[in-house]
Amino acid sequence: DGMNVLFIVVDDLRPVLGCYGDKLVKSPNIDQLASQSIVFSNAYAQQAVCAPSRVSFLTGRRPDTTRLYDFYSYWRVHAGNYSTMPQYFKENGYVTLSVGKVFHPGVSSNYSDDYPYSWSIPPFHPSTEKYENDKTCRGKDGKLYANLVCPVDVTEMPSGTLPDIQSTEEAIRLLNVMKTNKQKFFLAVGYHKPHIPLRYPQEFLKLYPLENITLAPDPWVPEKLPAVAYNPWMDIRQRDDVKALNVSFPYGPLPDDFQRQIRQSYYAAVSYLDMQVGLLLNALDDVGLSNSTIVVFTADHGWSLGEHGEWAKYSNFDVATRVPLMFYVPGLTTSSISQGERVFPYRDPFSRSSGLVPQGRSKKVVELLSLFSTLAELAGLQVPPVCPETSLHVALCTEGTSIVRYFNASEEKVEEGEDGCDDTYNCFDEEPVAFSQYPRPADTPQWNSDKPKLKDIRIMGYSMRTIDYRYTVWVGFNPNNFSADFEDVHAGELYMVDTDPNQDDNIYNNTSHGWFFKKIIG
């Protein structure tokens, strides 16, 4: 009768988690999920900004097919009437439910989070979401500000709560309803933190004394970084506390002590998120559904924490495109679980960590694009067909192939070239590739470089990441017909992962890259 699906998507979460080897961050509940899951350590988003990434993985199509690179169009009207992952589950007999930020709200999901196509009932949004950008952060002078760094006393907040706390409560309520009604469900829960403002219960700061917080390993703008590749982090410049620093545009830098505070608050927000995930998974145990529910945990993209002198997302670097991705599948990633057995007892982030390790780990390079077909396969549904070359008129197909084939193959056993690659998108010479892209309005950083509107896009940076390298080419782009001109190359980047894991040494100009170029236009 098919498994339920609990799909957890987090806003702006890079893989700073214990289960990804981070020694500083306290994430015991996500680590516990990882200890029962297959964890992908090289998973990448298709564009490092909320709406385009979410529409891409929820439809299984690349941004060039959804034609959404900004926040201002609805794919069903503007591109094609593409089916979404929750819609497919709904059409296959599931009750589909959305809590929090799953689709990006607004015009890009038709002001309805794509209801009624994708969801069985209208999506839930926390009532306190509307205060997100209000002046709720108490400054040293006792006044209230709209800050970036914003630890708060929850009891002083409007309604005495925070949006993610409300989302957890609603998701738990829905789990109980589904249990009572014995309905098969696809429940998507979208958490907002660690998205800015970094507003979280102040007690989480205790986990991260400032003296333990370092700067990024490479907090300077790399010498050979093309100007077009740089994102000038406009959104954080607009927060009251950053504004007060009077940092020069576009390269900054922010003062060291403030960089540490941002990093500290990001980690604290991650631990606050971990607590919410822990409460939600504990409730899955409580209703006795851990043995019949697939759990997916991921994020829409990463977030720079000072690397390359950059903050926020809006780039093609790993820090902006790489995401956590794990799948818990009872009986597949764990031995079968008996009814009522507790798999996810709540773990307190404030008590000592237990050092849980992932159940299985795959280093294969994968894309968020693959979520649709992967979840369909795991749930025993027919896997949607791979899209033809042009698919604007095809309602149901995906541009990402299922990655279930990577679940069981332990890294050592898979011989090179034995990967079974039958699709053109993800494989060149059997080598998995992740594609990301980012639009820019000009060759140099502008006020709208981070989030250019479609009509202002002049350049598109197409980036491919394999296990060995990241190659990016910035080419002319015409927004009127959505076409990239690969003969009009503005700049390029090439980073070798082994010798330059942080992507600081761009060797594009002293390497012959015809071979890479052929692959990216192929």
Side-chain angles (χ1 to χ4, degrees):
D1 208 28
M3 296 234 186
N4 304 308
V5 178
L6 174 57
F7 180 77
I8 304 170
V9 57
V10 184
D11 222 345
D12 293 19
L13 176 67
R14 61 191 261 172
V16 287
L17 299 163
C19 51
Y20 277 83
D22 193 290
K23 301 282 187 278
L24 188 65
V25 172
K26 309 244 183 323
S27 53
N29 293 289
I30 298 166
D31 296 349
Q32 176 170 257
L33 173 63
S35 75
Q36 307 288 329
S37 300
I38 171 103
V39 175
F40 285 87
S41 49
N42 278 303
Y44 297 90
Q46 276 46 79
Q47 190 181 324
V49 69
C50 307
S53 173
R54 288 164 187 263
V55 168
S56 170
F57 69 68
L58 288 163
T59 61
R61 319 259 184 148
R62 298 184 187 282
D64 280 348
T65 309
T66 65
R67 295 184 164 177
L68 181 69
Y69 313 108
D70 59 17
F71 296 82
Y72 307 108
S73 68
Y74 180 41
W75 77 92
R76 292 186 193 271
V77 172
H78 182 74
N81 188 23
Y82 310 146
S83 294
T84 67
M85 171 166 60
Q87 177 182 354
Y88 189 59
F89 275 83
K90 181 171 163 236
E91 288 163 358
N92 279 281
Y94 281 72
V95 177
T96 56
L97 307 159
S98 173
V99 171
K101 185 176 172 183
V102 180
F103 279 100
H104 191 86
V107 67
S108 65
S109 56
N110 203 31
Y111 300 99
S112 66
D113 293 346
D114 199 45
Y115 175 79
Y117 296 102
S118 286
W119 311 109
S120 305
I121 61 172
F124 169 86
H125 283 279
S127 61
T128 60
E129 211 169 66
K130 58 179 173 290
Y131 307 114
E132 234 350 62
N133 291 309
D134 289 6
K135 299 190 173 196
T136 55
C137 322
R138 205 166 286 290
K140 296 217 164 52
D141 56 7
K143 294 198 185 107
L144 292 176
Y145 295 93
N147 286 343
L148 169 63
V149 171
C150 187
V152 296
D153 176 346
V154 177
T155 61
E156 288 182 2
M157 291 299 103
S159 308
T161 187
L162 290 170
D164 285 343
I165 296 172
Q166 290 184 294
S167 291
T168 302
E169 290 165 353
E170 175 64 8
I172 291 172
R173 188 188 74 77
L174 288 170
L175 284 177
N176 281 287
V177 172
M178 290 299 106
K179 165 76 172 170
T180 306
N181 298 353
K182 298 191 168 39
Q183 285 173 301
K184 194 164 60 169
F185 62 84
F186 178 105
L187 169 58
V189 182
Y191 285 115
H192 205 248
K193 292 303 124 188
H195 190 288
I196 69 166
L198 299 170
R199 190 166 76 111
Y200 55 86
Q202 59 197 14
E203 56 271 23
F204 286 92
L205 268 180
K206 289 204 290 275
L207 294 172
Y208 303 101
L210 209 47
E211 61 269 20
N212 295 355
I213 308 293
T214 59
L215 295 180
D218 51 349
W220 51 83
V221 181
E223 200 182 319
K224 290 179 279 189
L225 181 69
V228 68
Y230 185 80
N231 75 281
W233 34 278
M234 284 305 293
D235 57 350
I236 78 163
R237 290 171 191 272
Q238 285 149 12
R239 315 300 308 182
D240 291 345
D241 49 355
V242 180
K243 228 186 260 175
L245 297 168
N246 256 332
V247 180
S248 67
F249 181 89
Y251 295 114
L254 289 170
D256 286 4
D257 61 331
F258 194 74
Q259 291 196 37
R260 285 197 178 85
Q261 284 177 46
I262 299 177
R263 289 169 68 91
Q264 174 192 39
S265 272
Y266 186 89
Y267 302 145
V270 171
S271 291
Y272 159 58
L273 158 79
D274 181 79
M275 180 183 218
Q276 303 311 311
V277 172
L279 293 168
L280 177 60
L281 293 174
N282 184 57
L284 191 67
D285 271 356
D286 286 346
V287 293
L289 293 174
S290 301
N291 66 330
S292 55
T293 303
I294 294 163
V295 182
V296 191
F297 178 87
T298 191
D300 54 357
H301 43 70
W303 210 79
S304 302
L305 285 165
E307 296 85 1
H308 317 114
E310 292 179 307
W311 300 88
K313 47 253 187 180
Y314 318 122
S315 83
N316 280 321
F317 281 121
D318 278 12
V319 282
T321 53
R322 185 170 166 241
V323 292
L325 177 63
M326 61 189 81
F327 297 84
Y328 161 79
V329 188
L332 179 60
T333 62
T334 60
S335 49
S336 55
I337 313 267
S338 55
Q339 181 71 39
E341 189 183 331
R342 293 199 81 81
V343 187
F344 304 118
Y346 175 73
R347 292 178 173 262
D348 181 359
F350 294 94
S351 60
R352 287 205 34 228
S353 64
S354 58
L356 291 160
V357 294
Q359 173 68 22
R361 185 186 287 286
S362 174
K363 291 200 181 83
K364 287 275 183 275
V365 171
V366 297
E367 302 177 298
L368 283 185
L369 202 62
S370 292
L371 278 166
F372 191 160
S373 44
T374 303
L375 277 175
E377 182 174 343
L378 289 172
L381 305 180
Q382 194 170 355
V383 177
V386 172
C387 291
E389 186 88 19
T390 45
S391 63
L392 289 171
H393 305 294
V394 184
L396 180 67
C397 67
T398 76
E399 293 178 329
T401 49
S402 168
I403 57 176
V404 174
R405 66 185 185 277
Y406 298 150
F407 278 35
N408 284 339
S410 77
E411 297 296 317
E412 295 73 44
K413 281 193 217 127
V414 177
E415 304 229 339
E416 282 310 305
E418 213 183 71
D419 262 2
C421 250
D422 47 5
D423 68 296
T424 48
Y425 281 106
N426 286 13
C427 293
F428 299 112
D429 318 320
E430 316 298 305
E431 175 182 45
V433 176
F435 289 102
S436 303
Q437 61 191 98
Y438 213 86
R440 295 283 188 236
D443 285 300
T444 54
Q446 311 294 315
W447 65 271
N448 64 337
S449 286
D450 293 343
K451 294 191 275 195
K453 290 187 170 168
L454 175 64
K455 66 177 175 48
D456 297 322
I457 297 171
R458 294 292 173 272
I459 301 163
M460 188 69 75
Y462 288 96
S463 193
M464 56 192 254
R465 175 68 154 79
T466 70
I467 201 77
D468 297 317
Y469 61 82
R470 177 174 287 288
Y471 171 74
T472 305
V473 59
W474 298 88
V475 299
F477 185 84
N478 180 343
N480 300 316
N481 61 4
F482 305 96
S483 68
D485 179 359
F486 282 89
E487 284 173 13
D488 175 23
V489 176
H490 290 235
E493 298 168 81
L494 178 60
Y495 307 101
M496 303 315 284
V497 174
D498 261 3
T499 51
D500 180 25
N502 297 329
Q503 299 169 352
D504 294 315
D505 182 24
N506 177 14
I507 60 168
Y508 179 87
N509 284 341
N510 39 6
T511 313
S512 61
H513 32 76
W515 178 81
F516 297 101
F517 189 69
K518 274 198 202 74
K519 286 192 164 196
I520 212 160
I521 59 176

